[in-house]
């Protein structure tokens, strides 16, 4: 069961090749408290892709353990209201997440197909693909239309991990530009900061 839980990691990982191929030049948007956030235009989209990178003083194994606690993980994923596992099959897991949004924007929900790839060097990559029609839409929520991104955990010693969180999202419906511009910086920064705080306790 562990592999299915570790995958409900928030809206962060996806088709690594797709996200890398379509994101254009990365430009630093925030570099604070050991967390660097960069943004990029994304081909065919009005919404920017974001990338957050930090080093956490914890092993890949500890970070995986934190991720396996689906309900607990929601506390450190930016604006996560609730999340659960829908299905698990081999290296793939399907998760459902509800997100908070500021009034008057309708809250969003998301269904992710997450694929976990483990490398011989001990690194872990989680690819994420949005499946908006996997289950019927929930009343009171707008379904996220597309997510392309990934999490990558790379061991940098016995008790240190470099964490990269890169995502492009099509939020569905109408989203004010001020909120979209704020989200692409706040989402990676706040998620990585909260994950680090829990991992380093």
């Amino acid at each position: 069961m562990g592999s299915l839980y570790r995958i409900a990691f928030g809206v962060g990982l996806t088709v690594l090749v797709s996200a890398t191929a379509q994101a254009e030049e990365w430009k630093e948007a925030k570099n604070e408290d050991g967390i660097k956030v960069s943004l990029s235009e994304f081909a065919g989209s009005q919404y920017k892709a974001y990338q957050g990178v930090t080093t956490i003083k914890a092993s890949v194994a500890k970070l995986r353990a934190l991720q396996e606690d689906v309900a607990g993980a929601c506390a450190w994923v930016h604006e996560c209201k609730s999340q659960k596992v829908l299905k698990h099959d081999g290296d793939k897991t399907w998760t459902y997440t509800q997100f908070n949004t500021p009034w008057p924007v309708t809250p969003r929900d998301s269904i992710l197909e997450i694929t976990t790839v483990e490398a011989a060097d001990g690194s872990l990559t989680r690819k994420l693909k949005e499946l908006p029609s996997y289950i019927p839409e929930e009343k009171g929520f707008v379904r996220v239309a597309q997510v392309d991104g990934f999490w990558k955990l790379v061991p940098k010693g016995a008790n240190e991990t470099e964490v990269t969180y890169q995502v492009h999202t099509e939020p569905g419906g109408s989203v004010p530009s001020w909120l979209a511009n704020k989200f692409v910086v706040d989402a990676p920064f706040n998620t990585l900061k909260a994950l680090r705080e829990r991992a380093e306790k």
Side-chain angles (χ1 to χ4, degrees), residues 59-141:
S59 64
V60 171
K62 184 170 185 180
L63 292 171
R64 287 179 69 161
L66 282 171
Q67 297 165 25
E68 289 169 6
D69 177 9
V70 176
C74 196
W76 50 261
V77 173
H78 181 64
E79 296 295 5
C80 178
K81 180 180 180 182
S82 66
Q83 62 182 3
K84 63 182 179 180
V85 173
L86 298 174
K87 180 183 176 182
H88 174 69
D89 184 15
D91 63 354
K92 292 182 182 292
T93 299
W94 292 259
T95 66
Y96 175 72
T97 307
Q98 293 182 343
F99 296 94
N100 299 310
T101 54
W103 185 89
V105 180
T106 305
R108 263 48 180 180
D109 65 0
S110 172
I111 296 102
L112 301 178
E113 178 190 77
I114 304 166
T115 305
T116 297
V117 180
E118 299 179 65
D121 64 357
S123 65
L124 187 75
T125 300
R126 289 197 166 89
K127 306 174 186 179
L128 176 142
K129 179 181 180 180
E130 178 73 25
L131 298 179
S133 59
Y134 188 79
I135 61 173
E137 293 187 9
E138 293 280 343
K139 185 177 180 180
F141 288 85

Side-chain angles (χ1 to χ4, degrees), residues 49 52 84 91 131 157 159 167 180 182 198:
K84 63 182 179 180
D91 63 354
L131 298 179
N159 196 46
V167 181
K182 188 172 186 296
R198 284 160 176 76

Side-chain angles (χ1 to χ4, degrees), residues 22-34:
Q22 296 185 52
E24 298 174 8
E25 182 182 354
W26 292 99
K27 296 181 180 179
E28 185 177 307
K30 186 170 185 174
N31 195 338
E32 183 180 313
D33 198 19

Side-chain angles (χ1 to χ4, degrees), residues 3-4 132 150 170:
S3 60
L4 74 120
F150 64 91
E170 291 288 342

